[in-house]
Amino acid sequence: MITRFTGGAGGNTLLSAVGMDPERYEVWIAGVPGGDLWVRARRAGVHTVEVAGFRHTLSPVDLVVLWRLVRLVRRERFTVVHTHSGKGGFLGRVAARLCRTPVVVHTFHGVSFHPYQSRGRRTAYRLLERTTRRFTHQFLAVAPRVAEQAVEERLAPPGRVRVVPSAVDVGHIPGHFDPSARRVLGVPRATALVGTVGRIDVQKAPLDFVRMAAALRARRPGTAFVMIGDGPLEREVRRLARALDVEVILMGHREDSAQLVAGLDVFVITSLYEGLGRALTEALAAARPVVATAVNGVPDLVEHGATGLLVPPAAPEAAARAVGWLLDHPQESAGMGRQGRDRVRGAFTPQAMCTAVDACYRQLLGLAPPSDGPTPGSRRPRRTSCV
């Protein structure tokens, strides 16, 4: 169960659902309606339930949503309920508790509350997550710092959080600069191109990207900038870009964003908070030099000076200086890109993630781990349903 089946958490959930052994697991996904990942999940043979009335923000309708989730769990008699995200985690774990589901697992993609929320909303989410921790048999986190924060905030007991890095499907991502991506982006190869991928909303701080672009262009007039994604702040982005006299190409939502990243000279995220950053992981997989805000789990992925450069959040001038340094030092930048690529392609594969999730389920279900892995064409005596 997940709140919004979109973005990084949604992509992670889809990969884990599709990657589980179909001879052992029958997998369902339930969550907020809308988004392209539902279609992809159905095409992959995953059972899907877009829960009517489910929204990503707290609402009185949540009681109706909880009732619908309880009906789903009771009807299908799931062996495992695995929840993702704040609200999906709360409602899903309550539903599992009411239905006495044998195994309940929750993944922290980041905590659901942060300093940029109102005090009331922040308090409510913290209380809800703390309340449901006792309904949970095992906690997973996408990065060590996310796990640490979950324990510090008393969302999970010490020693009960396993780190399972959020995977990306690197098979369709070029491992080097791709000239064909430049042709799609419409920027000549000779032009330095700086870009980002992500939803254009408060979390991603897209206006800071525009401010960074303006500061950098004042020093490097020939630099081009691109944003891939859509969201509620798109109009504000266009307005600020005009006011600062900087051109930012807005590509909108693109299914091929992971491939287009390979056409960038530098990838930037200006997020105010970020569990790990799926687009960031994909950029590293493409060997792109990166500049990222040092928030939440990002420093677990980007080692400053080795796999990229880190800057404080809400500091566009610092981001502009870091991007400028990478553009001015192409050899060092390429070295960071290669190190980032090797790290991601070695440790952030769907196979590694699904193996870790499978091991978690097996332990909680009291099933012995496979000695040599599944035998092709073999059948197992037990089929476990999970959502």
Side-chain angles (χ1 to χ4, degrees):
M1 295 181 186
I2 185 169
T3 311
R4 288 188 292 193
F5 192 37
T6 58
N12 165 279
T13 302
L14 178 60
L15 284 178
S16 63
V18 172
M20 302 305 288
D21 182 1
E23 296 297 328
R24 180 172 297 279
Y25 300 103
E26 177 184 336
V27 184
W28 294 57
I29 298 177
V32 172
D36 60 288
L37 293 183
W38 290 108
V39 176
R40 291 171 56 185
R42 286 189 281 270
R43 287 175 180 168
V46 177
H47 301 279
T48 60
V49 181
E50 299 183 56
V51 184
F54 200 180
R55 304 171 185 170
H56 72 279
T57 55
L58 293 174
S59 165
V61 183
D62 291 342
L63 291 175
V64 177
V65 173
L66 176 60
W67 173 70
R68 288 172 176 156
L69 291 175
V70 168
R71 284 204 311 168
L72 173 65
V73 175
R74 282 181 176 163
R75 185 185 72 230
E76 300 301 331
R77 300 177 64 188
F78 296 112
T79 311
V80 178
V81 166
H82 187 161
T83 62
H84 301 260
S85 309
K87 189 172 171 182
F90 168 70
L91 293 176
R93 283 182 281 176
V94 171
R97 175 76 168 194
L98 292 173
C99 298
R100 299 184 179 181
T101 301
V103 169
V104 180
V105 179
H106 178 68
T107 291
F108 293 107
H109 297 268
V111 299
S112 59
F113 48 88
H114 49 81
Y116 303 96
Q117 292 172 319
S118 66
R119 178 178 297 181
R121 184 174 295 275
R122 193 162 61 245
T123 300
Y125 274 108
R126 182 184 284 112
L127 177 62
L128 293 176
E129 292 225 40
R130 287 178 178 174
T131 299
T132 50
R133 79 172 191 171
R134 67 177 185 271
F135 303 162
T136 315
H137 300 106
Q138 182 65 58
F139 299 87
L140 307 179
V142 297
R145 282 176 172 82
V146 174
E148 181 181 354
Q149 186 178 10
V151 172
E152 288 177 347
E153 293 286 355
R154 291 182 289 143
L155 310 182
R160 290 268 299 281
V161 187
R162 298 182 187 179
V163 175
V164 178
S166 181
V168 295
D169 184 3
V170 297
H172 66 288
I173 301 176
H176 48 75
F177 178 83
D178 185 5
S180 65
R182 277 296 180 99
R183 291 193 287 273
V184 177
L185 295 169
V187 178
R189 178 64 187 101
T191 301
L193 180 59
V194 179
T196 189
V197 175
R199 184 165 168 77
I200 304 179
D201 60 11
V202 173
Q203 176 190 352
K204 306 298 183 180
L207 301 184
D208 283 345
F209 181 87
V210 176
R211 296 183 184 103
M212 176 277 300
L216 181 62
R217 195 154 191 178
R219 304 164 197 163
R220 299 178 61 98
T223 308
F225 304 91
V226 62
M227 301 179 71
I228 303 173
D230 55 18
L233 295 183
E234 184 173 338
R235 182 176 299 177
E236 284 79 357
V237 165
R238 295 183 185 277
R239 184 182 299 122
L240 181 61
R242 286 195 299 269
L244 296 179
D245 193 26
V246 58
E247 182 181 359
V248 178
I249 304 168
L250 272 71
M251 297 290 294
H253 175 74
R254 298 277 307 203
E255 293 289 334
D256 58 349
S257 62
Q259 290 85 15
L260 294 182
V261 164
L264 302 178
D265 289 302
V266 179
F267 178 85
V268 180
I269 63 166
T270 53
S271 299
L272 300 175
Y273 54 97
E274 190 78 61
L276 191 64
R278 185 176 190 80
L280 175 61
T281 310
E282 292 174 339
L284 288 169
R288 296 303 83 208
V290 302
V291 172
T293 46
V295 295
N296 303 105
V298 171
D300 291 321
L301 182 60
V302 180
E303 183 180 351
H304 185 68
T307 59
L309 297 179
L310 294 171
V311 296
E317 282 283 348
R321 289 192 296 270
V323 173
W325 190 93
L326 291 176
L327 293 175
D328 290 339
H329 298 80
Q331 290 187 342
E332 290 87 346
S333 299
M336 292 184 196
R338 288 191 296 269
Q339 290 189 73
R341 177 191 61 195
D342 294 345
R343 182 176 185 185
V344 166
R345 289 180 178 266
F348 291 79
T349 64
Q351 181 181 4
M353 179 179 69
C354 291
T355 297
V357 173
D358 176 60
C360 172
Y361 292 171
R362 286 172 176 274
Q363 180 183 17
L364 294 172
L365 291 168
L367 301 176
S371 56
D372 297 313
T375 302
S378 64
R379 303 291 297 182
R380 291 183 173 81
R382 177 172 181 174
R383 189 175 180 89
T384 305
S385 299
C386 48
V387 61

